[in-house]
Amino acid sequence: MQAYLPTIVPGILIQTLLSAASGSGAQIREDLDSGVFDRFKSLPMAHIAPLAGQLFADILRLLVATVVSLLTGYAMGWRPTVGFGWIIVIAALAIFIGWAISWVFALFGLLAKSSSMVQSVSMMVMMLLSFLSNAFIPLKTLPHFMRVIADANPITYVITAIRQILAQGAWNNNAWIVLIFGIGIVVLFAPLTVWAYNHNN
C-alpha cells in the first residue's frame, strides 16, 4: 500500500479537482434559472461581476479540495520526499488547471438548457477524464486501444507532471506543457464564456 500511495494520491487530487471544477457550470445554470443574475443586474455593479465572482470563488473551492485531498493522502500514510515548497508548487499547478477547466464547464452551463443536464454531462466528462488516464494505474497495464486514449488525455499529462515534481523535486517539461495548456484553455474559453454570459443577459 505504501508503495502505491505516490501513484494514487496525485490521481485522487486531480479527480477531486475535476469534480470541484465541474460544479461551476451547474451552479451558473441554477443561478440563471432562478433569476439571481437578473437581480444582480439591478444593483450598481459591473455587468460581468456575477460571472467573475462565481469563477474566482471557484479558486477557493479548488483550494479546499486540494487541501482535503492532500491531507487525506497524508492520513493514509503518504509521505512526500520533497520539501514543503514543492508541495505548494504542485498544489498551485493543480488548482490553476482546475480553475482553467472550470471555464469550460462554465461555458457549458451558460449554453445548456438545464442544470440537471449540466450535472449529468459534467459528471460523465469528469469520470471519463479521470478513469481514462494514468490516475490510478500505470498506462502500460491498459489494453492498447485504451492506452492510446489515455496517452491523448490531457489529465494524464497533469498527473504525470505532478508525480515527477514530487519524485524529483524539480520543475519538468511535462509541468511546462501542463502550464501552457492551462493558459491556452483560459485564453480560449474565457472570451467564449463572457460572450455566452452577455448573450444570456
Side-chain angles (χ1 to χ4, degrees):
M1 179 63 179
Q2 294 293 325
Y4 186 47
L5 288 174
T7 296
I8 196 173
V9 169
I12 291 173
L13 171 62
I14 296 305
Q15 185 182 49
T16 303
L17 290 182
L18 282 172
S19 179
S22 68
S24 181
Q27 184 63 56
I28 287 175
R29 185 71 260 168
E30 288 175 4
D31 288 345
L32 283 169
D33 292 343
S34 67
V36 170
F37 281 2
D38 290 332
R39 289 193 288 274
F40 281 142
K41 286 168 62 178
S42 65
L43 300 175
M45 63 170 62
H47 173 71
I48 200 66
L51 176 64
Q54 170 68 40
L55 285 160
F56 280 100
D58 285 345
I59 297 175
L60 179 59
R61 179 166 51 186
L62 293 165
L63 175 61
V64 171
T66 298
V67 171
V68 170
S69 296
L70 294 179
L71 288 178
T72 300
Y74 193 83
M76 293 168 63
W78 173 64
R79 298 294 184 269
T81 57
V82 296
F84 184 71
W86 288 110
I87 304 299
I88 299 298
V89 169
I90 65 107
L93 180 63
I95 290 169
F96 173 69
I97 292 301
W99 181 71
I101 292 173
S102 71
W103 282 96
V104 181
F105 287 112
L107 175 62
F108 179 58
L110 289 165
L111 297 177
K113 299 299 184 183
S114 67
S115 61
S116 60
M117 177 183 178
V118 176
Q119 291 172 349
S120 298
V121 174
S122 297
M123 179 61 70
M124 181 178 65
V125 170
M126 186 271 290
M127 297 296 283
L128 288 173
L129 287 175
S130 297
F131 290 108
L132 290 179
S133 73
N134 63 344
F136 304 110
I137 58 174
L139 293 183
K140 63 183 179 182
T141 64
L142 294 173
H144 177 70
F145 78 97
M146 290 186 67
R147 182 171 181 176
V148 171
I149 297 172
D151 278 331
N153 185 347
I155 297 304
T156 294
Y157 288 88
V158 178
I159 295 169
T160 299
I162 290 174
R163 285 176 181 157
Q164 289 176 347
I165 291 173
L166 290 172
Q168 302 165 3
W171 194 258
N172 54 71
N173 288 337
N174 276 317
W176 281 116
I177 292 171
V178 168
L179 182 61
I180 292 169
F181 174 73
I183 294 172
I185 291 176
V186 175
V187 169
L188 176 62
F189 282 91
L192 290 174
T193 303
V194 172
W195 171 84
Y197 173 77
N198 290 331
H199 183 73
N200 272 278
N201 287 273

